[in-house]
């Protein structure tokens, strides 16, 4: 798996962004019954701006030395990209609006059209292969200023006058990328906020509950679903359990039953060959399903290790 990620990163770094056809889109996001909906505006850009955007993204890719798996509990890593499945976000809905399906992006006619936009997406379309999409969050309140005095720009060894009546400031960079089937995350918190990661986690929660019901290892699985509900913290933990899939490992499950019976103080009982889920022990059940109960080598205390990092 690590070899595939290494190859993916290598291919990303070798993309010829400067030679691609570049388009720029501004997106307004809103939540309808907690589901993400977007309006897409397209803006024409100069060749020089396209090159500048390409260079910024290539610079960030050059800084990445690895790709790690995304988890809602993963922390941002300066030198790594995080990879997530498209199923976690409704990226396809955004892609359809960008590419056109009857609800395609409309052209921005005035600077004020961009005032309420939340992020922009740069499309790099190559002669062959998948396009690359790079998304970057805009400031919370996009500042559009009128020029009240003459603006001069020193460029190419000479001064130029900026005649346009309005301008605004953005940060050139990237928060997350889409390339083919891959979502690659640079800034985890921004990605989760923009893409309404909660919606994807609710779907994963339901898939987890179905899988646990089919295994018939638990009594009261529906209580687990009720406890998780749409609480962000609990959804993150459920997603981590689903991604790890330890519950499909027979040896792990056997050991899980043994450990539960060794520690009655945890409030988790086994009856009729099943672990009994109650409203009071759902947090502990999620910890055990994620193998997140750890023992201190120093104080010999047992505690929950929600975020895990394997040590040599």
């Amino acid at each position: 798996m690590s070899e595939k990620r290494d190859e993916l990163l290598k291919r990303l770094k070798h993309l010829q962004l400067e030679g691609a056809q570049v388009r720029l889109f501004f997106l307004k996001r809103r939540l309808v019954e907690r589901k993400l909906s977007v309006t897409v505006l397209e803006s024409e850009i100069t060749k020089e701006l396209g090159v500048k955007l390409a260079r910024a993204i290539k610079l960030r890719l050059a800084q990445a030395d690895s790709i790690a798996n995304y988890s809602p509990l993963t922390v941002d890593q300066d030198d790594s990209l995080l990879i997530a499945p498209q199923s976690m976000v409704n990226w396809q809905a955004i892609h359809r609006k960008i590419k056109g399906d009857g609800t395609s992006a409309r052209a921005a006619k005035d600077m004020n059209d961009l005032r309420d936009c939340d992020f922009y997406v740069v499309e790099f379309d190559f002669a062959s292969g998948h396009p690359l999409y790079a998304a970057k969050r805009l400031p919370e309140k996009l500042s559009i200023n009128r020029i009240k005095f003459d603006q001069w720009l020193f460029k190419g060894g000479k001064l130029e006058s900026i005649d346009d009546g309005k301008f605004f400031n953005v940060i050139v960079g990237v928060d997350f990328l889409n390339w083919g089937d891959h979502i690659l995350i640079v800034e985890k918190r921004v990605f989760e906020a923009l893409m309404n990661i909660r919606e994807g986690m609710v779907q994963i929660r339901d898939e987890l509950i179905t899988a646990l019901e089919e295994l018939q290892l638990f009594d009261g699985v529906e209580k687990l679903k009720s406890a998780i509900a749409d609480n962000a913290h609990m959804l993150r933990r459920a997603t981590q359990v689903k991604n790890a899939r330890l519950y499909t490992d027979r040896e792990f499950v056997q050991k899980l039953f043994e450990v539960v019976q060794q520690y009655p103080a945890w409030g988790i009982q086994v009856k009729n060959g099943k672990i009994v889920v109650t409203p009071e022990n759902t947090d502990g059940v999620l910890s055990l399903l994620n193998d997140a109960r750890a023992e201190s080598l120093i104080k010999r205390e047992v505690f929950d290790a929600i975020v895990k990092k394997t040590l040599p």
Side-chain angles (χ1 to χ4, degrees):
M1 183 63 72
S2 62
E3 293 179 358
K4 291 183 178 179
R5 292 197 295 263
D6 291 343
E7 179 61 25
L8 174 62
L9 182 58
K10 182 179 179 181
R11 290 169 61 197
L12 277 168
K13 289 186 176 185
H14 283 84
L15 287 175
Q16 300 298 315
L17 300 185
E18 292 88 347
Q21 181 179 345
V22 184
R23 298 167 70 195
L24 181 62
F25 302 90
F26 289 85
L27 287 80
K28 299 178 182 180
R29 64 186 298 277
R30 62 191 181 99
L31 297 180
V32 180
E33 296 181 352
R34 291 199 171 186
K35 292 188 177 182
L36 179 65
S37 177
V38 296
T39 301
V40 182
L41 299 169
E42 182 175 3
S43 176
E44 293 186 12
I45 61 173
T46 64
K47 183 178 180 179
E48 290 76 15
L49 179 54
V51 170
K52 187 173 185 177
L53 292 166
R55 287 175 178 171
I57 293 162
K58 285 187 74 71
L59 177 61
R60 184 59 186 89
L61 289 174
Q63 294 170 347
D65 58 13
S66 62
I67 296 178
N69 285 330
Y70 166 83
S71 165
L73 294 173
T74 309
V75 296
D76 275 320
Q77 302 179 45
D78 291 339
D79 298 325
S80 293
L81 302 178
L82 300 175
I83 188 168
Q86 282 198 20
S87 59
M88 290 208 68
V89 295
N90 194 12
W91 175 259
Q92 289 300 324
I94 296 175
H95 184 263
R96 285 194 299 269
K97 289 192 174 184
I98 289 175
K99 299 303 288 185
D101 63 348
T103 58
S104 57
R106 67 178 179 85
K109 297 180 180 179
D110 184 84
M111 186 76 80
N112 286 316
D113 288 344
L114 310 180
R115 186 183 294 276
D116 297 324
C117 291
D118 299 287
F119 62 110
Y120 67 83
V121 173
V122 188
E123 178 191 63
F124 297 92
D125 201 354
F126 308 99
S128 61
H130 298 292
L132 177 72
Y133 296 94
K136 179 66 182 175
R137 179 171 60 182
L138 291 164
E140 289 187 9
K141 292 184 178 180
L142 191 62
S143 177
I144 300 177
N145 305 302
R146 291 187 178 275
I147 297 175
K148 298 181 180 179
F149 48 87
D150 198 26
Q151 294 272 318
W152 290 1
L153 173 68
F154 192 80
K155 181 178 179 183
K158 62 181 180 180
L159 285 169
E160 296 181 7
S161 177
I162 303 176
D163 296 323
D164 194 2
K166 295 180 183 178
F167 69 96
F168 65 92
N169 299 316
V170 298
I171 299 174
V172 176
V174 58
D175 292 322
F176 66 93
L177 301 153
N178 167 247
W179 192 45
D181 296 330
H182 308 290
I183 298 290
L184 296 142
I185 303 160
V186 178
E187 299 291 341
K188 177 176 177 286
R189 290 185 179 180
V190 176
F191 165 76
E192 292 177 339
L194 289 178
M195 298 306 295
N196 188 32
I197 199 66
R198 186 194 299 263
E199 180 184 350
M201 291 193 295
V202 168
Q203 179 180 340
I204 291 174
R205 176 206 65 190
D206 294 343
E207 293 173 358
L208 171 65
I209 297 302
T210 299
L212 295 178
E213 287 174 339
E214 291 175 352
L215 289 172
Q216 298 183 351
L217 299 174
F218 299 88
D219 180 12
V221 176
E222 70 282 353
K223 296 184 179 67
L224 191 60
K225 182 175 182 179
S226 298
I228 297 170
D230 63 354
N231 178 274
H233 173 69
M234 296 293 279
L235 285 169
R236 290 176 186 274
R237 300 189 66 184
T239 299
Q240 195 172 37
V241 171
K242 176 64 168 56
N243 289 343
R245 291 176 54 82
L246 293 173
Y247 52 82
T248 63
D249 184 331
R250 291 185 180 181
E251 185 176 345
F252 173 83
V253 171
Q254 181 180 349
K255 188 66 176 178
L256 173 63
F257 273 75
E258 293 173 3
V259 170
V260 163
Q261 295 176 83
Q262 290 174 11
Y263 292 89
W266 289 354
I268 302 174
Q269 297 182 335
V270 176
K271 289 185 179 180
N272 301 321
K274 294 184 178 182
I275 291 177
V276 179
V277 181
T278 67
E280 293 75 27
N281 69 13
T282 50
D283 199 61
V285 170
L286 286 175
S287 292
L288 290 170
L289 284 172
N290 193 40
D291 195 19
R293 286 276 158 95
E295 183 178 6
S296 167
L297 296 176
I298 299 172
K299 299 183 69 175
R300 295 299 174 185
E301 294 178 343
V302 178
F303 55 90
D304 281 343
I306 304 303
V307 179
K308 298 180 294 181
K309 181 179 180 180
T310 303
L311 299 176

PDB file of all heavy atoms in Angstrom, residues 258-268 295 302:
ATOM      1  N   GLU A 258     -12.156 -11.866  25.387  1.00  0.00           N
ATOM      2  CA  GLU A 258     -11.384 -12.271  26.558  1.00  0.00           C
ATOM      3  C   GLU A 258     -11.051 -11.078  27.443  1.00  0.00           C
ATOM      4  O   GLU A 258     -11.202 -11.132  28.672  1.00  0.00           O
ATOM      5  CB  GLU A 258     -10.092 -12.960  26.113  1.00  0.00           C
ATOM      6  CG  GLU A 258     -10.311 -14.295  25.409  1.00  0.00           C
ATOM      7  CD  GLU A 258      -9.022 -14.874  24.842  1.00  0.00           C
ATOM      8  OE1 GLU A 258      -7.950 -14.247  25.050  1.00  0.00           O
ATOM      9  OE2 GLU A 258      -9.066 -15.939  24.197  1.00  0.00           O
ATOM     10  N   VAL A 259     -10.614  -9.983  26.817  1.00  0.00           N
ATOM     11  CA  VAL A 259     -10.204  -8.806  27.574  1.00  0.00           C
ATOM     12  C   VAL A 259     -11.396  -8.159  28.272  1.00  0.00           C
ATOM     13  O   VAL A 259     -11.298  -7.725  29.435  1.00  0.00           O
ATOM     14  CB  VAL A 259      -9.504  -7.788  26.639  1.00  0.00           C
ATOM     15  CG1 VAL A 259      -9.286  -6.457  27.349  1.00  0.00           C
ATOM     16  CG2 VAL A 259      -8.175  -8.352  26.157  1.00  0.00           C
ATOM     17  N   VAL A 260     -12.537  -8.098  27.599  1.00  0.00           N
ATOM     18  CA  VAL A 260     -13.742  -7.501  28.194  1.00  0.00           C
ATOM     19  C   VAL A 260     -14.110  -8.224  29.490  1.00  0.00           C
ATOM     20  O   VAL A 260     -14.480  -7.590  30.489  1.00  0.00           O
ATOM     21  CB  VAL A 260     -14.912  -7.556  27.194  1.00  0.00           C
ATOM     22  CG1 VAL A 260     -16.235  -7.331  27.909  1.00  0.00           C
ATOM     23  CG2 VAL A 260     -14.722  -6.505  26.108  1.00  0.00           C
ATOM     24  N   GLN A 261     -13.974  -9.542  29.482  1.00  0.00           N
ATOM     25  CA  GLN A 261     -14.339 -10.313  30.676  1.00  0.00           C
ATOM     26  C   GLN A 261     -13.277 -10.210  31.774  1.00  0.00           C
ATOM     27  O   GLN A 261     -13.571 -10.450  32.948  1.00  0.00           O
ATOM     28  CB  GLN A 261     -14.562 -11.777  30.287  1.00  0.00           C
ATOM     29  CG  GLN A 261     -15.769 -11.936  29.355  1.00  0.00           C
ATOM     30  CD  GLN A 261     -15.972 -13.355  28.875  1.00  0.00           C
ATOM     31  OE1 GLN A 261     -16.562 -14.186  29.568  1.00  0.00           O
ATOM     32  NE2 GLN A 261     -15.493 -13.649  27.657  1.00  0.00           N
ATOM     33  N   GLN A 262     -12.062  -9.821  31.402  1.00  0.00           N
ATOM     34  CA  GLN A 262     -11.002  -9.648  32.401  1.00  0.00           C
ATOM     35  C   GLN A 262     -11.124  -8.320  33.134  1.00  0.00           C
ATOM     36  O   GLN A 262     -10.574  -8.160  34.224  1.00  0.00           O
ATOM     37  CB  GLN A 262      -9.627  -9.721  31.723  1.00  0.00           C
ATOM     38  CG  GLN A 262      -9.246 -11.101  31.222  1.00  0.00           C
ATOM     39  CD  GLN A 262      -7.943 -11.078  30.430  1.00  0.00           C
ATOM     40  OE1 GLN A 262      -7.220 -10.081  30.415  1.00  0.00           O
ATOM     41  NE2 GLN A 262      -7.648 -12.188  29.756  1.00  0.00           N
ATOM     42  N   TYR A 263     -11.827  -7.365  32.532  1.00  0.00           N
ATOM     43  CA  TYR A 263     -11.943  -6.030  33.121  1.00  0.00           C
ATOM     44  C   TYR A 263     -13.414  -5.649  33.321  1.00  0.00           C
ATOM     45  O   TYR A 263     -13.961  -4.813  32.600  1.00  0.00           O
ATOM     46  CB  TYR A 263     -11.266  -4.994  32.227  1.00  0.00           C
ATOM     47  CG  TYR A 263      -9.758  -5.116  32.160  1.00  0.00           C
ATOM     48  CD1 TYR A 263      -9.145  -5.936  31.210  1.00  0.00           C
ATOM     49  CD2 TYR A 263      -8.952  -4.406  33.050  1.00  0.00           C
ATOM     50  CE1 TYR A 263      -7.767  -6.052  31.144  1.00  0.00           C
ATOM     51  CE2 TYR A 263      -7.569  -4.512  32.991  1.00  0.00           C
ATOM     52  CZ  TYR A 263      -6.981  -5.334  32.035  1.00  0.00           C
ATOM     53  OH  TYR A 263      -5.614  -5.447  31.979  1.00  0.00           O
ATOM     54  N   PRO A 264     -14.070  -6.240  34.311  1.00  0.00           N
ATOM     55  CA  PRO A 264     -15.496  -5.924  34.548  1.00  0.00           C
ATOM     56  C   PRO A 264     -15.736  -4.462  34.903  1.00  0.00           C
ATOM     57  O   PRO A 264     -16.840  -3.946  34.712  1.00  0.00           O
ATOM     58  CB  PRO A 264     -15.866  -6.853  35.713  1.00  0.00           C
ATOM     59  CG  PRO A 264     -14.559  -7.201  36.371  1.00  0.00           C
ATOM     60  CD  PRO A 264     -13.549  -7.223  35.268  1.00  0.00           C
ATOM     61  N   ALA A 265     -14.690  -3.778  35.417  1.00  0.00           N
ATOM     62  CA  ALA A 265     -14.861  -2.366  35.793  1.00  0.00           C
ATOM     63  C   ALA A 265     -15.137  -1.488  34.583  1.00  0.00           C
ATOM     64  O   ALA A 265     -15.605  -0.348  34.745  1.00  0.00           O
ATOM     65  CB  ALA A 265     -13.613  -1.877  36.527  1.00  0.00           C
ATOM     66  N   TRP A 266     -14.881  -1.994  33.387  1.00  0.00           N
ATOM     67  CA  TRP A 266     -15.134  -1.194  32.183  1.00  0.00           C
ATOM     68  C   TRP A 266     -16.633  -1.070  31.883  1.00  0.00           C
ATOM     69  O   TRP A 266     -17.029  -0.267  31.044  1.00  0.00           O
ATOM     70  CB  TRP A 266     -14.442  -1.820  30.973  1.00  0.00           C
ATOM     71  CG  TRP A 266     -12.947  -1.689  31.020  1.00  0.00           C
ATOM     72  CD1 TRP A 266     -12.200  -0.998  31.931  1.00  0.00           C
ATOM     73  CD2 TRP A 266     -12.019  -2.267  30.101  1.00  0.00           C
ATOM     74  NE1 TRP A 266     -10.864  -1.111  31.641  1.00  0.00           N
ATOM     75  CE2 TRP A 266     -10.722  -1.880  30.520  1.00  0.00           C
ATOM     76  CE3 TRP A 266     -12.148  -3.074  28.968  1.00  0.00           C
ATOM     77  CZ2 TRP A 266      -9.563  -2.271  29.849  1.00  0.00           C
ATOM     78  CZ3 TRP A 266     -10.995  -3.461  28.295  1.00  0.00           C
ATOM     79  CH2 TRP A 266      -9.719  -3.061  28.735  1.00  0.00           C
ATOM     80  N   GLY A 267     -17.452  -1.875  32.560  1.00  0.00           N
ATOM     81  CA  GLY A 267     -18.896  -1.778  32.368  1.00  0.00           C
ATOM     82  C   GLY A 267     -19.395  -2.403  31.082  1.00  0.00           C
ATOM     83  O   GLY A 267     -20.471  -2.044  30.582  1.00  0.00           O
ATOM     84  N   ILE A 268     -18.634  -3.331  30.532  1.00  0.00           N
ATOM     85  CA  ILE A 268     -19.024  -4.009  29.292  1.00  0.00           C
ATOM     86  C   ILE A 268     -19.145  -5.506  29.588  1.00  0.00           C
ATOM     87  O   ILE A 268     -18.168  -6.139  30.004  1.00  0.00           O
ATOM     88  CB  ILE A 268     -17.999  -3.764  28.165  1.00  0.00           C
ATOM     89  CG1 ILE A 268     -17.864  -2.261  27.906  1.00  0.00           C
ATOM     90  CG2 ILE A 268     -18.419  -4.490  26.891  1.00  0.00           C
ATOM     91  CD1 ILE A 268     -16.780  -1.907  26.908  1.00  0.00           C
ATOM     92  N   GLU A 295      -2.066   0.422  27.823  1.00  0.00           N
ATOM     93  CA  GLU A 295      -1.541   0.377  29.183  1.00  0.00           C
ATOM     94  C   GLU A 295      -0.220   1.130  29.241  1.00  0.00           C
ATOM     95  O   GLU A 295       0.667   0.924  28.404  1.00  0.00           O
ATOM     96  CB  GLU A 295      -1.323  -1.061  29.637  1.00  0.00           C
ATOM     97  CG  GLU A 295      -0.831  -1.164  31.080  1.00  0.00           C
ATOM     98  CD  GLU A 295      -0.650  -2.610  31.546  1.00  0.00           C
ATOM     99  OE1 GLU A 295      -0.794  -3.513  30.708  1.00  0.00           O
ATOM    100  OE2 GLU A 295      -0.370  -2.798  32.734  1.00  0.00           O
ATOM    101  N   VAL A 302      -4.434   1.759  32.595  1.00  0.00           N
ATOM    102  CA  VAL A 302      -5.080   1.543  31.310  1.00  0.00           C
ATOM    103  C   VAL A 302      -5.887   2.786  30.953  1.00  0.00           C
ATOM    104  O   VAL A 302      -6.617   3.325  31.786  1.00  0.00           O
ATOM    105  CB  VAL A 302      -6.011   0.314  31.349  1.00  0.00           C
ATOM    106  CG1 VAL A 302      -6.719   0.134  30.008  1.00  0.00           C
ATOM    107  CG2 VAL A 302      -5.225  -0.940  31.699  1.00  0.00           C
TER     108      VAL A 302
END
